[in-house]
Amino acid sequence: MSTREDRTDQTELNEDFAEALGAFENYLLYEKARSPETVRAYTSDLHSLFSSAQARGAAGVREIELDRLRTWLAEGYDRDESRGTMARKASSIRSFFSWAEGRGLVASNPAARLKSPQGRRSLPKVLSTQDMGEILGVLAADLSERPGDAQVLRTIAVIELLYSAGLRISELCSADLNSIDQERRTVSVVGKGNKQRTVPLGIPAMQAVQAWITQGRTQWVRGNQTALFLGPRGQRAGQRQIREDLNAILARATSTGASGAHVFRHTAATHMVDGGADIRAVQEMLGHSTLATTQIYTHVSVDRLAQTYRRAHPRA
C-alpha cells in the first residue's frame, strides 16, 4: 500500500532524494510492516526535510549533516508545532538515517547525536458510562423512529464493537464477515505489525453486530463482498465515513468535545482498568506490543479517582 499520492502537493525531490525516500517507504511497509498512518507520517516528515535541504543546495542524503537536522527541527519550533509532533519528527529522522547507514547510503549517521524533546504524553479523552448510555440511547431512539435503517444499525454495531473489543478503526474497517465467531462470541482482527489477535465480545455487541449483518448489511451488499462493514454503495466502509458517523453521534449525545473512533478504544481500556482488570489482559485485548503503552490507562483511572475524590471528599 503506497502513500506516495499523499505528497503530490509538496516540492518535487531530485532523483537521489526521491529514490532514498521511496526505498525507505518500502522498507517501512514491507519489511517493518508499519501501519499506513505511520508510514505516511514518517515519509511526510522526511519529504519536508529533504525539500528543505534541497532548497539549500544539498544534492542528496549524503550531504545532510547534524546541523541541517537541527535547523529543520528549529523551523518546527518557529511554527509552534507541538512537542509530540517534534518528537515524531526526530523519530522519523533517526529511523531513516539508521536505515540509510545500514545500507551504505550515508557514510555515518548524522542523527546519532540528535537530541529532541520527549513528547509529553497527555491523558486520552475518555467517555463515562453515562456518556456511553446517552450515545446508545440516542441511537436506540433513532432506530425506533426509523426501524431497520441501515445507517443507524451500522453505527450501533460499530460503536458496540469499538467499545466492547477496544478496536482501532483500521482494524474495524478491515474486518470481514468471517472475523466474527458468533458461537464463541469473538472478533479476530489484524493489528499493527500484521499481528492477529482474537478478542471476546460482550452480549450487547454481539447482538448489535448480528442485527447489522441480518438487517442492515443485506440492504447494501453487492455481489460477494466479504467486508463486515459496508457503505451504501456496497463497498467496504472507509475510515472517513465511519469517523463522520461517530463524530455526529458524539456531538449529538455528549458535551465532552470527544471525536473520532479512538475515544471508544480509550474508554474501553479505562473502564476495564476501573473494573479491576489485570493490566496485562488489557494489553492483550488492545494488541499493544509493550506494557508501557497500556499503562497510560492506569494513570487515566488514577486521575479520574483524584477528580472524584476532590469533588466528593469533605476534606479534599
Side-chain angles (χ1 to χ4, degrees):
M1 183 185 300
S2 177
T3 63
R4 295 185 179 95
E5 64 273 13
D6 299 313
R7 301 193 298 274
T8 54
D9 60 335
Q10 295 180 316
T11 304
E12 185 174 353
L13 299 175
N14 66 30
E15 185 176 358
D16 184 283
F17 282 125
E19 286 185 358
L21 185 58
F24 183 63
E25 181 177 1
N26 289 334
Y27 163 75
L28 293 176
L29 281 168
Y30 304 117
E31 293 187 42
K32 300 298 288 183
R34 296 293 178 86
S35 71
E37 291 78 10
T38 297
V39 176
R40 187 176 299 115
Y42 275 36
T43 53
S44 179
D45 290 342
L46 291 164
H47 196 290
S48 174
L49 169 65
F50 295 166
S51 297
S52 176
Q54 182 175 288
R56 287 163 175 78
V61 295
R62 281 182 176 272
E63 297 181 19
I64 296 180
E65 299 179 346
L66 179 59
D67 287 347
R68 176 67 254 157
L69 301 181
R70 288 172 173 163
T71 300
W72 179 69
L73 288 174
E75 291 168 355
Y77 282 113
D78 293 340
R79 291 190 295 270
D80 293 325
E81 292 179 348
S82 69
R83 290 171 63 88
T85 297
M86 298 302 296
R88 189 205 67 219
K89 285 186 168 184
S91 179
S92 301
I93 292 171
R94 291 194 187 94
S95 295
F96 171 79
F97 281 102
S98 176
W99 168 85
E101 184 181 33
R103 280 158 178 74
L105 299 182
V106 294
S108 61
N109 181 353
R113 293 184 291 120
L114 182 69
K115 294 182 179 179
S116 67
Q118 294 297 312
R120 184 175 59 187
R121 197 164 198 179
S122 58
L123 295 180
K125 192 177 289 291
V126 173
L127 302 172
S128 66
T129 53
Q130 182 177 351
D131 290 330
M132 289 300 305
E134 291 289 342
I135 290 167
L136 295 171
V138 168
L139 287 168
D142 288 347
L143 196 59
S144 178
E145 293 177 5
R146 306 194 300 276
D149 185 279
Q151 188 87 26
V152 178
L153 286 167
R154 188 184 72 177
T155 303
I156 294 173
V158 163
I159 289 175
E160 287 281 13
L161 199 52
L162 290 173
Y163 177 58
S164 182
L167 301 185
R168 301 177 178 93
I169 189 171
S170 57
E171 296 167 346
L172 179 133
C173 289
S174 64
D176 291 327
L177 281 172
N178 62 9
S179 300
I180 301 292
D181 187 326
Q182 298 190 25
E183 184 176 341
R184 296 175 59 204
R185 221 167 64 221
T186 61
V187 57
S188 297
V189 296
V190 178
K192 291 184 177 181
N194 283 331
K195 295 179 180 177
Q196 186 174 35
R197 70 183 189 280
T198 299
V199 187
L201 297 176
I203 293 175
M206 194 69 254
Q207 291 174 337
V209 171
Q210 287 175 331
W212 154 249
I213 291 173
T214 58
Q215 300 173 41
R217 188 181 183 279
T218 53
Q219 300 175 42
W220 288 350
V221 69
R222 302 287 185 275
N224 296 320
Q225 177 60 255
T226 62
L228 175 59
F229 289 107
L230 306 176
R233 296 182 179 180
Q235 301 300 312
R236 182 181 296 273
Q239 294 184 30
R240 177 179 294 180
Q241 59 183 284
I242 295 295
R243 285 196 188 96
E244 289 175 353
D245 285 353
L246 296 176
N247 289 343
I249 189 61
L250 283 165
R252 286 175 61 200
T254 75
S255 58
T256 62
S259 63
H262 228 59
V263 67
F264 295 100
R265 177 172 164 87
H266 292 320
T267 299
T270 303
H271 290 181
M272 287 278 288
V273 173
D274 285 347
D278 179 80
I279 191 68
R280 292 195 178 275
V282 178
Q283 176 191 4
E284 186 173 346
M285 181 183 86
L286 298 179
H288 286 157
S289 57
T290 65
L291 189 61
T293 307
T294 316
Q295 285 175 331
I296 190 173
Y297 298 108
T298 64
H299 299 308
V300 173
S301 295
V302 170
D303 185 63
R304 285 155 60 92
L305 175 60
Q307 291 177 16
T308 302
Y309 177 85
R310 286 191 292 269
R311 286 197 307 266
H313 198 287
R315 298 180 69 82

